[in-house]
Amino acid sequence: MVKLHYGPLAAALLAAPSAHAFAPPSSTVVVNHQQQYSPLSLYKKQECSTIPTTTTSLRSSSSNINPYTSPELDTSALLKYATAAITELSLFAATFQLLDVAFTNVLDTSVPFPFAFLLFYGCSLKSRVFNPLNNQRPDRSKAVDGEGSSGFKDRVMPSWTPPGVTFPIMWLLIIGPIRAYSASLIVSSTGSFLCLPIMAFMLHLTIGDIWNTINNTEKRYGAAVIGVLCVVLSAANAANQYYAVDPFAGKLLGGTLIWLCTAAALITDTWRLNPSEEGLVPLYPVVGEAETSFMWFGNNDAEDE
């Protein structure tokens, strides 16, 4: 039997680890809960207040198809949004017509201001009961505690995002009462619920409900930007309609634009911070990024406001 003898150099080479042991760890992919982030996206997260549990680019990971590779306009979603808007406005119009008949022909009295205030305060907070889409809002208790829920801290959000407790304070104690008081002034001036200024306000609420579906339920970050701009424009239109009847009411409702413009800036910055692998998400509903469905005809697992 022949024994091979190696010199010191050959023995050292044979004992050396394989080349893979010296290969540097990949710097391009970090896998966490089926998410893939490039170094650029990891850097972006350092400037944000929250790291999401899902990413825009992988919301269709179950089918292994990226809807943003060749984005296609989701016309079905647009049709459902329009149907929901017509339904909600029609139900508001029918309700206000019945109230006008009740106070004018049955009770033969003017509308009590407290009644109008409570009615419009309820509309401001719960207008979505007339909308067939899933218009869930972020969970209020979770927002106060700084936890994530649909539409709040469930995605990468700007570092300047207000504390969660800010939102219920604004909507319940400031925006809601302003809307209710200004609308009550209009009813007192016109003597009718069903009038152009009030329906302009209902259009504003309707657009806001559909925007909540787009942003909170479906998480369409691009379409949410256009949606929130429509919310702002509809509020400005309602304030203008109010001003033609009662200037003070118009100024009051117009004051809510300060908060709405802040929200629009927040939504736009959130869109910027949540790109797909191909870049910024398109500013329209894309086929495959979400499914739009009518809540009235299916199960509702939404979180209430």
Side-chain angles (χ1 to χ4, degrees):
M1 181 176 181
V2 180
K3 294 184 179 181
L4 299 178
H5 298 278
Y6 300 97
L9 178 59
L13 290 175
L14 289 175
S18 65
H20 294 290
F22 295 100
S26 171
S27 62
T28 59
V29 178
V30 176
V31 179
N32 181 22
H33 300 293
Q34 298 181 343
Q35 298 181 15
Q36 295 182 348
Y37 300 101
S38 65
L40 178 60
S41 64
L42 288 174
Y43 169 77
K44 285 182 178 179
K45 285 177 173 53
Q46 294 177 1
E47 70 175 10
C48 306
S49 60
T50 305
I51 297 179
T53 56
T54 58
T55 59
T56 301
S57 61
L58 296 179
R59 273 179 283 164
S60 60
S61 59
S62 60
S63 60
N64 295 322
I65 298 176
N66 188 340
Y68 306 112
T69 301
S70 299
E72 179 183 350
L73 177 65
D74 194 339
T75 54
S76 175
L78 292 178
L79 180 60
K80 291 176 181 178
Y81 298 155
T83 301
I86 293 172
T87 300
E88 184 168 357
L89 287 172
S90 298
L91 290 174
F92 271 126
T95 300
F96 293 154
Q97 180 64 53
L98 289 175
L99 287 173
D100 285 341
V101 170
F103 280 102
T104 303
N105 299 335
V106 179
L107 301 177
D108 192 22
T109 183
S110 60
V111 179
F113 193 90
F115 175 84
F117 180 90
L118 291 175
L119 174 66
F120 288 119
Y121 184 76
C123 289
S124 297
L125 299 183
K126 297 293 183 180
S127 58
R128 63 185 180 277
V129 299
F130 283 161
N131 193 295
L133 294 172
N134 183 351
N135 312 124
Q136 65 177 334
R137 272 63 166 172
D139 186 275
R140 188 186 306 123
S141 60
K142 290 183 178 180
V144 171
D145 294 336
E147 300 177 7
S149 63
S150 295
F152 183 74
K153 290 191 175 183
D154 60 344
R155 63 203 70 183
V156 179
M157 298 188 70
S159 58
W160 58 273
T161 302
V165 69
T166 305
F167 295 90
I169 290 176
M170 288 299 301
W171 290 114
L172 296 176
L173 303 181
I174 299 178
I175 302 297
I178 288 177
R179 286 173 167 177
Y181 186 78
S182 58
S184 300
L185 290 176
I186 297 300
V187 172
S188 296
S189 298
T190 61
S192 173
F193 284 100
L194 186 59
C195 58
L196 182 59
I198 295 299
M199 289 309 298
F201 174 47
M202 294 303 112
L203 175 63
H204 167 57
L205 296 181
T206 297
I207 293 175
D209 289 333
I210 295 174
W211 175 82
N212 273 288
T213 296
I214 295 171
N215 184 68
N216 300 337
T217 305
E218 300 176 356
K219 298 178 175 59
R220 299 182 189 262
Y221 304 138
V225 174
I226 301 302
V228 76
L229 292 178
C230 292
V231 173
V232 172
L233 291 176
S234 64
N237 173 63
N240 182 61
Q241 295 290 340
Y242 277 24
Y243 190 86
V245 175
D246 186 325
F248 180 63
K251 292 177 182 178
L252 277 179
L253 189 61
T256 63
L257 287 169
I258 299 174
W259 173 249
L260 293 176
C261 287
T262 303
L266 182 65
I267 294 301
T268 302
D269 207 15
T270 300
W271 165 65
R272 178 184 66 84
L273 294 171
N274 290 269
S276 69
E277 294 176 351
E278 283 69 33
L280 292 176
V281 176
L283 296 171
Y284 54 83
V286 175
V287 173
E289 66 179 350
E291 181 180 355
T292 302
S293 58
F294 291 116
M295 182 183 66
W296 288 356
F297 309 106
N299 293 329
N300 177 27
D301 296 326
E303 300 175 45
D304 199 10
E305 182 181 27

